[in-house]
Structure formats: C-alpha cells, structure tokens
Amino acid sequence: MTRVLVVGNGPAAHRLTERLHHHGHRGRVTVLGAEPHPAYQRVLLPSVLAGGLPPEAVLLPPHPAGTRVLPGTTATGIDRRRRVVLASDGADHAYDTLVLATGAAPVIPAVPGLRAPGGQLARGVRTVRTLADTAALPSGRVVVLGGGVLGVETALALRAAGHAVALVHPHAHLAGHLLDPAAGRMLADRMTDLGVTLHLGVGAAEYVPGKLLLREGPPLPTDALLLCTGVAPVTGPARGCGLAVRTGVVVDDRLTTNDPRIHAIGDCAEHAGQVPGVLSAAWEQADVLARVLTGHDARHTPRGTAVRLRSADVDLLCVAPPPEAGGAADGGHTVTFSDPAGRRYARLHLREDRIASAVLLGLPRAIAAVGQLHDSGAPVPSDRLALLLGARPATRPAPAASADAVVCACNNVTGRTLLDAVAAGARDTAALARATRATTGCGTCLEPVRRLLAAATPAGAGGAG
Amino acid sequence: MTRALVVVGHGMAGHRLAEQVRAGDPAGAWRIVVLGEEPRPAYNRTALSAWLEGTGPGAGAERLALVRAGFLTDPLVDLRTATRVTALDRAARTVTCADGTQVRYDALVLATGSRPFVPPVPGHDLPGCHVYRTVDDLERIRAEAVAGRPGAVIGGGLLGLEAANALRLLGLRSHVVELAERLMPLQMDEGGGRVLARLVARRGLHAHCGVALRSVAAGPDGRVRAVHLADGTVVDADLVIFSAGIRPRDDLAEPAGLARGPRGGFLVDRHCRTADPFIWAVGECAAVEGHCHGLAAPAHRMAETVAAQLLGAASEPFPGADTAARLKLLGVDVASFGDAHARTPGALELAYTDHAADTYAKLVLSQDARVLLGGVLAGDAGAFPVLRSAVGRELTAAPEELLASGGP
C-alpha cells in the first residue's frame, strides 16, 4: 500500500490524516512533527497565553488509529530520487507520497536588539506561534508589536486578563490588509475603550531589555515584548530539493508540486499565486488532497476567506473576496453602516445580492447571519438594515433557530447532527467533539455548543463542559 | 389712520413680506414703501441659472419676475427701485436714501439680503472678475463670455456649481476651485462627494478641490488671464466668478445702534424682532438668534412671521431652517436633507453605493435606528422629496424601499 509521509503536524496535517482515513485510505501514514507536542489548534494560542485556556484545551484529537506520529522530528532534507526525507532523528523516512504541511514561521523584523548575539530572540522577547510561546508572562507591562489579526487578538486577550498592554503598529490602521480605514479606526477606538494603549503609525526603532524605543515619542517600558509581525511559509526542505517555490511551495489545483509524488497544503503552499494563510483554506486543501490521494476527482478552488477575530470583547468578521474577483469598481453594491458612538461598523459588498466581501465590527448577530450567507452563497435579504441590526421584525425565522443551521462552521456540523449525538449518548463537549468534530476548529462555537448541550441534556444528566 | 410700513430691500424676502401684508390687509391699515436697490422689481434669484439657460422669446429678465401686475398699481404700495438706503434714524423713525430723501416709518422691515464674499486676494477686482447674484451680474457675464475660452469659478458650493454650469452653457470650459476636499461640502459627505466629482468630470467640468486661491493674474490687456492656486497650479481663465459664500448686508446696524449676530446680520429673535420694537429683519440679512440663513425657503418663513405680527395675527415663530437642498444640472442630481453629516449625538449612518449606476445614498438615523434624521443622495436624488418630508419621523418602510420611492 502507498506510504504517505506528512511533514508537519499542525492543523493542516491533522486534518489531512483524518480526511485520508475518512476517504478510505488504509495505507501507512507517518507524520513528522517538529514540535514536541501533539497537534494543536494554533489559532487559540492568544487565549492560552493570556491564561484563559489551559494548554491541553487546544490539543487536537489523536490522529486516526495506525498513524505513526514522530514528534520532535524536523525534516532536514528531501531526496527525491531515493524518495526519502532526511530528518533530525537521523533516520531516512521513505515515502511513496510526500505531503509538505510545514506551515509558516514568524517573521522577525529587522529591529536592532530583538535578537541576542547567538541569533535567538533576546530576553523578554517572544513570538506567538507555538505552544512553547505560551509560558506564563512576567507581571508588568506587555508590548505587542504588530497590529494584524494576531496582534489585535493577543493584545485584547492579555488586556482582558488584566495586563497593561500597549500595541505598536507601524501603519495608520489596524489590520490594514483586511479592514478599510473606517473599520480600522473604529476597531482602534474600541480597543482604546477596552484599555489597550495604541501607538499607530509609529515603527519600533530598537529594543533594549526593559524598553522598546519608537521612531517617535518616549520609549515604552516593556516587561514582555510579543512579536506579531507576520509569518512566512516554511519552504526550506522544498527549496533544497529543487521543487518550485515562490512565496510558498507552488501547487496546482490538485495540491501537487512539480514533482507528482509531492504535495503541499496549508500555510506553506502557494496556489494560484496566493498563500491564504487562514485555517479554513488549509482545511479545504487537506480535504481536497485526501480525496485526490484516495483516487477521487477533486480540485482545489480558492474561496473567499472569512476571518473572525477570536476575542470575547470584540466581534469582528472580515470576508475577503476570492483572489480572481475584481474590486468594488467592477460593479455590484456596497452597503455601509456606521455607529461611531456605539463602535459598530459594517461594509458589505454585494454582487447579484450575494456577499462578495464584508467587514463587520460590533454586530454579533449580523456577523452570524453574514457568515452563514457567505458560506451558503444565499442572497442577502433586501432589508439590509434589519440584517445588520438583527433587531427589526424579520420576514423569516432567523437561521440560527433552525436545527439545520450550521453551529460549527469549521467542521460543517449542524444543530441536528449535534442533537443526534446527544441522543446517542454524548453528555459533554468532549464527547460531542469526538462524535461530530464540533468545537475542534477555531473554537468560536464552544459557547453555542454548550448552550445546545445544556438545552438538550436532561437536568442533572451530566456536566456541560 | 394709515400707518407707514417701510421695507428696505426688494428681494425675495422683502417682496414676500409686502405681498403678505397687502393680502391680509383689505382695509388698508398699512401703506407700504418698498425701497429696492436694484433697477428692477423683485425677481426669483434661485432661477437665475435656469433663466440663463432659456433662449428665444420670453427670455428676458421679466420671465423671473415675482411681482404681479396688481402689485405695482396698488395705491397702498409705493415701490421705489434703484433706491439705496444709506442711513437709519431710530429716534426720528426715518430712513435716508442715497439721493437724500427721507422716509418716515411706523414699522421698518430690513430685508437687505447679502452680498457675495470676494476673497481679498491680489487681482480679485480685475476686469473679468464677477459675482453671481443679480440679473445685472449675469448680463455682464453673458456679455463678456467668449465661447471656447476657459473660465473659473471660485467656490464649489451649490451656487458655484450653478455658476460653472452657466459658463458651460455660454460655451466656456469651466474650472471650479474649492477650498474644501470636495464639491458642495455643506451638502455632500465623502461618498456623495466622490460620485459628484465623477459626474461633473464627465460633463467636462474641471474641479480643483482642497486648494486655496492665491491670486488672480492679468494679461497684457489688463484683463483676467489666469487664477493661481496655493499649490502652484495655474488655471487659465478669461472670466472669473466668485461664489465663495455670502455675507449679510448689515451696514445700517452699527451707526443705528442695532445689535449684530456673531457672524454679522441684524440680530433678531425667533419672531424676527430686533431690540427696537419698531424694527424687524427678514431673509439673508437676519441673524435669527445669531444664525443667518441663506436659502429662499427660510426667507419666506421669516417674511410670513413678520407679516402676521404687523397684521395683529398670532405669529408663528421662525421654526429654524430647512437646509435641504437639491442640485439638478450639469447632468448631476445630488441632494442633502436634515442632519446630513450625522452630527446628532449617537446618530447612525447607513449608506448604499451602486457601483454600476454610480449612485450613492446615505440615510442618517437616530441611535435606535427608528427615526430618519437626514441624508445625502448623489447620482439619483429622485427620493429627495419623499425623504425630506420624512425627516424627524419614524421609518415607515425598509430604507431600501424609501430610497426607491419617487421618480427621477
């Protein structure tokens, strides 16, 4: 049987092994994980860092039975002629099919002082990428460098946990690749309300232990400096063996590199010139590749990506259009809603009454509705104000009330599936996760799942957690 | 006994006042003396641009006339055109005209209007520089216009765009210079301004926004040749029209000891009364509780308020201005109404942009999203009449339905 070797043990690799099993692959699957831990859900790390989640809560379920996982094993090279991967354990790992799921690594900006003479990060500086980065922070002042999604999530989580938090972002607007300037301003206002000190439009000049010097203004006292300055695909092994690499490892619609035996998925893969870098794309790729490797005809078609901020304090959803879609100038309608005092904002771009792109801030009900409309591709109701505010009499029942509504968007688990699982004996979220995979994605559905469980479980029949 | 009502100014406000008093005074309690500075009786100033557009028979200034034949022959109306009032003696209750004649009053209504503001830049008074307010102004502009030559309008507000359109109709290439970041800054927000800019550009109008006028330069013949902007741009122009706002004509106030508003104008209360019980002010020269209003509708409301007082009827106080405005020319249809800039605390803004049709519509709503407070329409302002009348009321339908109401 075909030996599948997966390099990387992040969410993409984890989803791949599960999907291979699901689609009937029964050959040997080996996973090389560079980190010492089992696979875990990376997107929840800010909550772990802030102490809101214990580290074990983000661990993903075990790989399917029979999967050989070698944690703490880094691939050092690929010998395509012999079809082996050389690894840090000294062994040669043979493959018939090789899947690169090496993910991405933090980009360390060229700010003097961030690195110690040995090249490692200086004392007091860390990234927010791996479980090893989530060791308890020292008490005192935290500075987050970088105002993208991860930086914003990290700053909000730490602020909510009681830290004094400053966020330094070299651009005028937060998350500028996702948010239009008006949304960026509103998010900044909301973060300021929550007590995060923002330094926007100002770059870091130098780090010296205890403080971060800015290009303008007084230095920031810093007991911990967190680098949220972006990531870059890990492509070393692919490059070293002559695979096509641009920003990421170049793959076609079947997630195949220029070597037909080698595939790439997730944050290390570049498809149609894009490295989406979002979990939903990684999962979609894992599923498509699993189908391809099990002999099905499947193609990867990039979708618009939906990014949801993971924060208890700020509701934010960005739906970006697929890369080939034109901008707003190409037609369609834009609806914007602005409530500066209430820190609420929305911009929907519609084509033929369907969501092409969206930014929603501070509108949790609209976020739920728009997320579903985007996923389903259904037309947007004609009363956009009612959609955005979710407060006026609806002409039809809210989708969330229906058992057919998707509760866990990451795994496409409906309320009905969850209820069936409860009927079959699941009595806590862990059991529901095992039965349906709900909550094992981005984690934002944990509360709805708990509520559903509480409502469906006979009183006293068991805990809801 | 017949009392003397003297009205200073025969514009739209002064005429409405005189007309209202006559209509409500069949017994002839008042004899009305109207002193107008212009050589012709009151006319509809808001239709000047339309008048310029008209051609053929009936295109004369009389087409704009507001005055019905009976008014001029009314024995209780003494209309004196081309008569400027130069002084006011409150103790003697007389006004003095430029020719020295004095007119005694029992009641005096000041309706002196306003004058265009001309920025005091070098060259602002060169031959070829004009304002855009009276029939005479437009006659001069028409006489000097040479088709195919460039002209510049200083000020990109509602009136400035009307003036630019006038130049275009006269065959000139029109430029507009606006200090604010967009055209019609009082009416348009960012989204409306973007649509408006594209619409006027499509009609061949060149807009220069966010830049101040530095000077007006003369050619060898001593006439206007170009305008120079603060950013170094030089705009060729044989003809310049200043349309950079208006200032109330309140020169009579200070010598007579009448109070003025913080930005000028005769200071009056909501019944348009000055501190002198025999003197009122209406129209653009009146600073109602300190604020002047520069549109025709509020001028008419003020005139009606004062007429009621003179007739001994219950007078409705001036309700405040409806600043709603629509511009429909240059192939442009834009409008704003109510609290267009969402200045009400807690106000919400809901905006729709149709990229294919290049239209923009914004509704401003109360904090609870139930009451319409105002809005901006650009590209298609067909819903303006409906929406304008709905300001201050609860929404009766989904916003999309309201915006779809009304014809083009």
Side-chain angles (χ1 to χ4, degrees):
Chain A
M1 271 203 132
T2 307
R3 291 165 300 168
V4 176
L5 178 61
V6 183
V7 179
N9 191 19
H14 181 268
R15 179 58 62 97
L16 176 70
T17 63
E18 188 275 328
R19 290 280 93 185
L20 278 173
H21 188 79
H22 176 88
H23 290 299
H25 179 86
R26 293 294 177 267
R28 171 125 61 97
V29 178
T30 303
V31 177
L32 306 185
E35 290 185 59
H37 326 280
Y40 57 89
Q41 194 52 271
R42 202 180 295 286
V43 293
L44 298 173
L45 288 181
S47 294
V48 179
L49 176 65
L53 277 180
E56 55 273 18
V58 301
L59 297 183
L60 292 166
H63 287 272
T67 309
R68 196 162 65 105
V69 182
L70 304 175
T73 307
T74 308
T76 55
I78 301 169
D79 186 332
R80 287 164 57 190
R81 196 181 48 78
R82 291 170 49 219
R83 301 213 300 262
V84 294
V85 168
L86 321 174
S88 58
D89 60 359
D92 290 355
H93 300 272
Y95 65 82
D96 299 309
T97 294
L98 173 62
V99 179
L100 300 175
T102 44
V107 172
I108 310 301
V111 175
L114 289 182
R115 289 186 191 274
Q120 74 278 29
L121 290 177
R123 192 165 50 81
V125 181
R126 64 169 94 171
T127 56
V128 185
R129 180 71 189 173
T130 66
L131 264 181
D133 292 327
T134 61
L137 288 167
S139 62
R141 179 118 203 153
V142 179
V143 174
V144 176
L145 185 59
V149 169
L150 182 65
V152 168
E153 285 177 347
T154 302
L156 287 170
L158 292 173
R159 180 65 204 135
H163 290 272
V165 180
L167 187 151
V168 176
H169 186 54
H171 305 292
H173 297 299
L174 293 168
H177 65 296
L178 288 174
L179 303 182
D180 55 288
R185 277 193 294 273
M186 200 83 84
L187 175 60
D189 288 342
R190 177 80 182 116
M191 292 184 75
T192 303
D193 294 343
L194 291 165
V196 177
T197 307
L198 296 180
H199 300 269
L200 300 180
V202 54
E206 187 181 356
Y207 174 74
V208 293
K211 60 189 170 188
L212 181 68
L213 311 185
L214 303 180
R215 293 197 185 279
E216 282 171 50
L220 290 180
T222 306
D223 297 296
L225 177 63
L226 302 177
L227 302 180
C228 298
T229 40
V231 295
V234 174
T235 57
R239 216 180 273 279
C241 69
L243 292 176
V245 175
R246 283 194 290 257
T247 303
V249 182
V250 176
V251 293
D252 61 15
D253 289 351
R254 297 160 73 85
L255 289 319
T256 305
T257 69
N258 54 318
D259 180 331
R261 290 185 179 274
I262 305 183
H263 310 270
I265 57 172
D267 288 357
C268 72
E270 174 177 334
H271 174 266
Q274 302 290 319
V275 181
V278 295
L279 196 53
S280 55
W283 283 339
E284 204 266 341
Q285 292 174 353
D287 188 56
V288 169
L289 181 58
R291 289 168 192 268
V292 168
L293 296 181
T294 51
H296 297 80
D297 185 27
R299 305 256 162 190
H300 174 56
T301 45
R303 302 200 44 201
T305 52
V307 176
R308 217 174 283 236
L309 200 70
R310 290 168 187 90
S311 163
D313 298 310
V314 178
D315 297 297
L316 176 66
L317 170 71
C318 302
V319 176
E324 75 274 15
D330 284 3
H333 291 72
T334 301
V335 181
T336 62
F337 170 82
S338 173
D339 173 13
R343 311 290 194 231
R344 299 186 297 171
Y345 177 83
R347 183 176 51 75
L348 305 178
H349 183 219
L350 309 176
R351 273 174 202 282
E352 286 159 9
D353 286 334
R354 286 166 172 81
I355 305 277
S357 70
V359 174
L360 294 148
L361 174 65
L363 296 159
R365 275 186 270 194
I367 285 174
V370 168
Q372 285 176 10
L373 289 169
H374 175 248
D375 290 343
S376 66
V380 174
S382 66
D383 187 343
R384 325 285 200 226
L385 184 62
L387 170 72
L388 292 172
L389 297 179
R392 290 145 53 83
T395 50
R396 47 181 145 160
S402 150
D404 291 326
V406 173
V407 177
C408 172
C410 298
N411 294 298
N412 195 28
V413 182
T414 63
R416 191 180 309 286
T417 307
L418 286 164
L419 292 171
D420 289 348
V422 172
R427 284 293 175 270
D428 57 29
T429 51
L432 277 177
R434 280 193 299 276
T436 68
R437 307 175 52 80
T439 74
T440 63
C442 68
T444 50
C445 66
L446 196 56
E447 268 314 306
V449 169
R450 280 188 179 138
R451 279 199 299 273
L452 181 143
L453 189 61
T457 315
Chain B
M1 201 190 99
T2 303
R3 290 182 290 165
L5 167 62
V6 173
V7 181
V8 182
H10 197 217
M12 299 176 72
H15 181 66
R16 173 63 64 94
L17 174 90
E19 219 176 29
Q20 290 281 114
V21 171
R22 280 306 295 128
D25 180 29
W30 291 100
R31 183 179 170 275
I32 307 177
V33 181
V34 183
L35 306 171
E37 183 184 43
E38 288 190 59
R40 54 182 62 83
Y43 53 89
N44 183 2
R45 216 184 285 289
T46 62
L48 275 177
S49 300
W51 166 72
L52 188 78
E53 200 163 347
T55 50
E62 60 276 6
R63 243 186 28 166
L64 292 173
L66 291 173
V67 176
R68 286 171 289 107
F71 185 83
L72 295 174
T73 55
D74 187 334
L76 287 173
V77 175
D78 175 5
L79 171 62
R80 305 184 198 172
T81 52
T83 302
R84 192 159 65 91
V85 172
T86 54
L88 159 61
D89 184 337
R90 296 203 285 138
R93 280 199 239 153
T94 58
V95 294
T96 306
C97 304
D99 64 359
T101 50
Q102 291 195 329
V103 185
R104 200 184 161 285
Y105 65 81
D106 296 299
L108 175 66
V109 179
L110 302 167
T112 47
S114 56
R115 66 169 60 88
F117 169 69
V118 177
V121 297
H124 70 270
D125 48 3
L126 285 169
C129 287
H130 300 274
V131 296
Y132 191 90
R133 178 156 181 98
T134 66
V135 167
D136 287 355
D137 293 332
L138 266 69
E139 296 282 19
R140 280 190 289 267
I141 290 166
R142 176 144 66 181
E144 287 185 16
V146 178
R149 299 295 303 164
V153 177
I154 310 304
L158 194 66
L159 195 64
L161 291 184
E162 279 198 27
N165 186 51
L167 290 184
R168 203 177 64 93
L169 292 170
L170 293 168
L172 278 77
R173 286 177 280 131
S174 294
H175 292 260
V176 173
V177 179
E178 169 56 49
L179 185 60
E181 292 297 325
R182 55 179 157 268
L183 297 172
M184 291 180 67
L186 291 180
Q187 289 84 19
M188 290 295 109
D189 62 357
E190 203 182 320
R194 270 200 294 267
V195 172
L196 176 58
R198 282 193 293 268
L199 289 172
V200 299
R202 221 169 283 160
R203 290 298 172 120
L205 183 82
H206 304 273
H208 308 262
C209 289
V211 61
L213 172 70
R214 195 164 62 195
S215 62
V216 181
D221 59 354
R223 289 183 50 84
V224 167
R225 168 57 60 84
V227 297
H228 291 243
L229 308 185
D231 64 1
T233 307
V234 177
V235 177
D236 285 343
D238 290 0
L239 203 109
V240 172
I241 298 177
F242 289 101
S243 181
I246 53 175
R247 298 291 182 270
R249 298 187 63 180
D250 57 6
D251 318 67
L252 293 172
E254 209 162 300
L258 286 174
R260 297 166 69 240
R263 286 186 207 82
F266 300 107
L267 184 64
V268 295
D269 65 10
R270 291 184 66 192
H271 295 272
C272 297
R273 297 178 295 208
T274 68
D276 184 321
F278 303 102
I279 306 179
W280 290 258
V282 297
E284 292 177 349
C285 71
V288 183
E289 293 182 323
H291 294 283
C292 292
H293 301 280
L295 293 166
H300 289 153
R301 300 296 288 268
M302 291 184 219
E304 284 154 17
T305 291
V306 173
Q309 293 166 58
L310 293 171
L311 295 169
S315 125
E316 293 277 323
F318 175 63
D322 175 4
T323 54
R326 180 180 189 179
L327 178 75
K328 196 173 180 185
L329 46 78
L330 276 165
V332 167
D333 190 7
V334 297
S336 84
F337 52 94
D339 182 14
H341 295 285
R343 298 211 170 91
T344 308
L348 315 177
E349 293 177 274
L350 181 65
Y352 303 83
T353 305
D354 181 331
H355 300 282
D358 204 10
T359 61
Y360 171 85
K362 179 181 79 174
L363 300 182
V364 178
L365 305 173
S366 59
Q367 191 157 20
D368 62 4
R370 304 185 81 87
V371 178
L372 180 66
L373 300 179
V376 173
L377 305 170
D380 172 7
F384 174 68
V386 168
L387 292 173
R388 174 191 202 171
S389 62
V391 167
R393 298 167 194 267
E394 289 221 357
L395 294 176
T396 52
E400 289 79 3
E401 290 173 45
L402 292 175
L403 289 170
S405 58

